[in-house]
mmCIF file with all atom_site columns, all heavy atoms in Angstrom:
data_model
loop_
_atom_site.group_PDB
_atom_site.id
_atom_site.type_symbol
_atom_site.label_atom_id
_atom_site.label_alt_id
_atom_site.label_comp_id
_atom_site.label_asym_id
_atom_site.label_entity_id
_atom_site.label_seq_id
_atom_site.pdbx_PDB_ins_code
_atom_site.Cartn_x
_atom_site.Cartn_y
_atom_site.Cartn_z
_atom_site.occupancy
_atom_site.B_iso_or_equiv
_atom_site.pdbx_formal_charge
_atom_site.auth_seq_id
_atom_site.auth_comp_id
_atom_site.auth_asym_id
_atom_site.auth_atom_id
_atom_site.pdbx_PDB_model_num
ATOM 1  N N   . ASP Q 1 266 ? 124.701 68.397 96.890  1.00 90.00 ? 266 ASP Q N   1
ATOM 2  C CA  . ASP Q 1 266 ? 123.548 68.002 96.082  1.00 90.00 ? 266 ASP Q CA  1
ATOM 3  C C   . ASP Q 1 266 ? 122.529 67.247 96.935  1.00 90.00 ? 266 ASP Q C   1
ATOM 4  O O   . ASP Q 1 266 ? 121.314 67.398 96.749  1.00 90.00 ? 266 ASP Q O   1
ATOM 5  C CB  . ASP Q 1 266 ? 124.001 67.130 94.910  1.00 90.00 ? 266 ASP Q CB  1
ATOM 6  C CG  . ASP Q 1 266 ? 124.774 67.935 93.864  1.00 90.00 ? 266 ASP Q CG  1
ATOM 7  O OD1 . ASP Q 1 266 ? 124.656 69.179 93.875  1.00 90.00 ? 266 ASP Q OD1 1
ATOM 8  O OD2 . ASP Q 1 266 ? 125.483 67.322 93.055  1.00 90.00 ? 266 ASP Q OD2 1
ATOM 9  N N   . ALA Q 1 267 ? 123.028 66.438 97.874  1.00 92.00 ? 267 ALA Q N   1
ATOM 10 C CA  . ALA Q 1 267 ? 122.120 65.678 98.744  1.00 92.00 ? 267 ALA Q CA  1
ATOM 11 C C   . ALA Q 1 267 ? 121.303 66.619 99.627  1.00 92.00 ? 267 ALA Q C   1
ATOM 12 O O   . ALA Q 1 267 ? 120.101 66.401 99.847  1.00 92.00 ? 267 ALA Q O   1
ATOM 13 C CB  . ALA Q 1 267 ? 122.919 64.701 99.606  1.00 92.00 ? 267 ALA Q CB  1
ATOM 14 N N   . GLU Q 1 268 ? 121.934 67.675 100.134 1.00 92.00 ? 268 GLU Q N   1
ATOM 15 C CA  . GLU Q 1 268 ? 121.215 68.634 100.977 1.00 92.00 ? 268 GLU Q CA  1
ATOM 16 C C   . GLU Q 1 268 ? 120.193 69.422 100.158 1.00 92.00 ? 268 GLU Q C   1
ATOM 17 O O   . GLU Q 1 268 ? 119.097 69.723 100.649 1.00 92.00 ? 268 GLU Q O   1
ATOM 18 C CB  . GLU Q 1 268 ? 122.223 69.579 101.648 1.00 92.00 ? 268 GLU Q CB  1
ATOM 19 C CG  . GLU Q 1 268 ? 123.066 68.904 102.713 1.00 92.00 ? 268 GLU Q CG  1
ATOM 20 C CD  . GLU Q 1 268 ? 124.183 69.798 103.207 1.00 92.00 ? 268 GLU Q CD  1
ATOM 21 O OE1 . GLU Q 1 268 ? 124.919 70.351 102.362 1.00 92.00 ? 268 GLU Q OE1 1
ATOM 22 O OE2 . GLU Q 1 268 ? 124.330 69.945 104.439 1.00 92.00 ? 268 GLU Q OE2 1
ATOM 23 N N   . ILE Q 1 269 ? 120.541 69.760 98.925  1.00 93.00 ? 269 ILE Q N   1
ATOM 24 C CA  . ILE Q 1 269 ? 119.596 70.451 98.049  1.00 93.00 ? 269 ILE Q CA  1
ATOM 25 C C   . ILE Q 1 269 ? 118.402 69.552 97.752  1.00 93.00 ? 269 ILE Q C   1
ATOM 26 O O   . ILE Q 1 269 ? 117.238 69.993 97.792  1.00 93.00 ? 269 ILE Q O   1
ATOM 27 C CB  . ILE Q 1 269 ? 120.281 70.882 96.739  1.00 93.00 ? 269 ILE Q CB  1
ATOM 28 C CG1 . ILE Q 1 269 ? 121.289 72.006 97.016  1.00 93.00 ? 269 ILE Q CG1 1
ATOM 29 C CG2 . ILE Q 1 269 ? 119.255 71.335 95.705  1.00 93.00 ? 269 ILE Q CG2 1
ATOM 30 C CD1 . ILE Q 1 269 ? 120.672 73.299 97.481  1.00 93.00 ? 269 ILE Q CD1 1
ATOM 31 N N   . THR Q 1 270 ? 118.664 68.286 97.482  1.00 92.00 ? 270 THR Q N   1
ATOM 32 C CA  . THR Q 1 270 ? 117.578 67.340 97.227  1.00 92.00 ? 270 THR Q CA  1
ATOM 33 C C   . THR Q 1 270 ? 116.665 67.222 98.444  1.00 92.00 ? 270 THR Q C   1
ATOM 34 O O   . THR Q 1 270 ? 115.436 67.169 98.310  1.00 92.00 ? 270 THR Q O   1
ATOM 35 C CB  . THR Q 1 270 ? 118.156 65.962 96.871  1.00 92.00 ? 270 THR Q CB  1
ATOM 36 O OG1 . THR Q 1 270 ? 118.959 66.081 95.689  1.00 92.00 ? 270 THR Q OG1 1
ATOM 37 C CG2 . THR Q 1 270 ? 117.039 64.951 96.619  1.00 92.00 ? 270 THR Q CG2 1
ATOM 38 N N   . LYS Q 1 271 ? 117.262 67.215 99.634  1.00 92.00 ? 271 LYS Q N   1
ATOM 39 C CA  . LYS Q 1 271 ? 116.468 67.129 100.870 1.00 92.00 ? 271 LYS Q CA  1
ATOM 40 C C   . LYS Q 1 271 ? 115.605 68.378 101.034 1.00 92.00 ? 271 LYS Q C   1
ATOM 41 O O   . LYS Q 1 271 ? 114.414 68.281 101.388 1.00 92.00 ? 271 LYS Q O   1
ATOM 42 C CB  . LYS Q 1 271 ? 117.389 66.966 102.071 1.00 92.00 ? 271 LYS Q CB  1
ATOM 43 C CG  . LYS Q 1 271 ? 116.652 66.869 103.407 1.00 92.00 ? 271 LYS Q CG  1
ATOM 44 C CD  . LYS Q 1 271 ? 117.628 66.720 104.564 1.00 92.00 ? 271 LYS Q CD  1
ATOM 45 C CE  . LYS Q 1 271 ? 116.889 66.685 105.905 1.00 92.00 ? 271 LYS Q CE  1
ATOM 46 N NZ  . LYS Q 1 271 ? 117.846 66.586 107.040 1.00 92.00 ? 271 LYS Q NZ  1
ATOM 47 N N   . ALA Q 1 272 ? 116.195 69.554 100.802 1.00 90.00 ? 272 ALA Q N   1
ATOM 48 C CA  . ALA Q 1 272 ? 115.418 70.793 100.924 1.00 90.00 ? 272 ALA Q CA  1
ATOM 49 C C   . ALA Q 1 272 ? 114.271 70.817 99.919  1.00 90.00 ? 272 ALA Q C   1
ATOM 50 O O   . ALA Q 1 272 ? 113.150 71.225 100.234 1.00 90.00 ? 272 ALA Q O   1
ATOM 51 C CB  . ALA Q 1 272 ? 116.330 72.003 100.721 1.00 90.00 ? 272 ALA Q CB  1
ATOM 52 N N   . ALA Q 1 273 ? 114.543 70.360 98.697  1.00 91.00 ? 273 ALA Q N   1
ATOM 53 C CA  . ALA Q 1 273 ? 113.501 70.322 97.678  1.00 91.00 ? 273 ALA Q CA  1
ATOM 54 C C   . ALA Q 1 273 ? 112.403 69.337 98.054  1.00 91.00 ? 273 ALA Q C   1
ATOM 55 O O   . ALA Q 1 273 ? 111.210 69.609 97.855  1.00 91.00 ? 273 ALA Q O   1
ATOM 56 C CB  . ALA Q 1 273 ? 114.112 69.944 96.324  1.00 91.00 ? 273 ALA Q CB  1
ATOM 57 N N   . LEU Q 1 274 ? 112.792 68.201 98.624  1.00 91.00 ? 274 LEU Q N   1
ATOM 58 C CA  . LEU Q 1 274 ? 111.799 67.211 99.046  1.00 91.00 ? 274 LEU Q CA  1
ATOM 59 C C   . LEU Q 1 274 ? 110.908 67.768 100.151 1.00 91.00 ? 274 LEU Q C   1
ATOM 60 O O   . LEU Q 1 274 ? 109.679 67.601 100.131 1.00 91.00 ? 274 LEU Q O   1
ATOM 61 C CB  . LEU Q 1 274 ? 112.503 65.940 99.524  1.00 91.00 ? 274 LEU Q CB  1
ATOM 62 C CG  . LEU Q 1 274 ? 111.587 64.817 100.052 1.00 91.00 ? 274 LEU Q CG  1
ATOM 63 C CD1 . LEU Q 1 274 ? 110.638 64.345 98.954  1.00 91.00 ? 274 LEU Q CD1 1
ATOM 64 C CD2 . LEU Q 1 274 ? 112.425 63.659 100.582 1.00 91.00 ? 274 LEU Q CD2 1
ATOM 65 N N   . ASN Q 1 275 ? 111.523 68.459 101.134 1.00 89.00 ? 275 ASN Q N   1
ATOM 66 C CA  . ASN Q 1 275 ? 110.740 69.059 102.217 1.00 89.00 ? 275 ASN Q CA  1
ATOM 67 C C   . ASN Q 1 275 ? 109.761 70.102 101.666 1.00 89.00 ? 275 ASN Q C   1
ATOM 68 O O   . ASN Q 1 275 ? 108.610 70.184 102.104 1.00 89.00 ? 275 ASN Q O   1
ATOM 69 C CB  . ASN Q 1 275 ? 111.665 69.691 103.248 1.00 89.00 ? 275 ASN Q CB  1
ATOM 70 C CG  . ASN Q 1 275 ? 112.430 68.676 104.062 1.00 89.00 ? 275 ASN Q CG  1
ATOM 71 O OD1 . ASN Q 1 275 ? 112.030 67.514 104.157 1.00 89.00 ? 275 ASN Q OD1 1
ATOM 72 N ND2 . ASN Q 1 275 ? 113.551 69.081 104.638 1.00 89.00 ? 275 ASN Q ND2 1
ATOM 73 N N   . ALA Q 1 276 ? 110.243 70.921 100.730 1.00 88.00 ? 276 ALA Q N   1
ATOM 74 C CA  . ALA Q 1 276 ? 109.367 71.938 100.133 1.00 88.00 ? 276 ALA Q CA  1
ATOM 75 C C   . ALA Q 1 276 ? 108.235 71.280 99.357  1.00 88.00 ? 276 ALA Q C   1
ATOM 76 O O   . ALA Q 1 276 ? 107.079 71.723 99.429  1.00 88.00 ? 276 ALA Q O   1
ATOM 77 C CB  . ALA Q 1 276 ? 110.182 72.846 99.210  1.00 88.00 ? 276 ALA Q CB  1
ATOM 78 N N   . ARG Q 1 277 ? 108.548 70.219 98.622  1.00 89.00 ? 277 ARG Q N   1
ATOM 79 C CA  . ARG Q 1 277 ? 107.515 69.534 97.849  1.00 89.00 ? 277 ARG Q CA  1
ATOM 80 C C   . ARG Q 1 277 ? 106.485 68.880 98.763  1.00 89.00 ? 277 ARG Q C   1
ATOM 81 O O   . ARG Q 1 277 ? 105.279 68.928 98.489  1.00 89.00 ? 277 ARG Q O   1
ATOM 82 C CB  . ARG Q 1 277 ? 108.173 68.496 96.939  1.00 89.00 ? 277 ARG Q CB  1
ATOM 83 C CG  . ARG Q 1 277 ? 107.197 67.857 95.961  1.00 89.00 ? 277 ARG Q CG  1
ATOM 84 C CD  . ARG Q 1 277 ? 107.922 67.100 94.851  1.00 89.00 ? 277 ARG Q CD  1
ATOM 85 N NE  . ARG Q 1 277 ? 108.649 65.944 95.358  1.00 89.00 ? 277 ARG Q NE  1
ATOM 86 C CZ  . ARG Q 1 277 ? 109.979 65.837 95.393  1.00 89.00 ? 277 ARG Q CZ  1
ATOM 87 N NH1 . ARG Q 1 277 ? 110.722 66.850 94.961  1.00 89.00 ? 277 ARG Q NH1 1
ATOM 88 N NH2 . ARG Q 1 277 ? 110.567 64.750 95.844  1.00 89.00 ? 277 ARG Q NH2 1
#
Side-chain angles (χ1 to χ4, degrees):
D266 290 342
E268 290 171 310
I269 291 294
T270 299
K271 180 181 178 182
L274 178 61
N275 289 339
R277 188 166 66 249

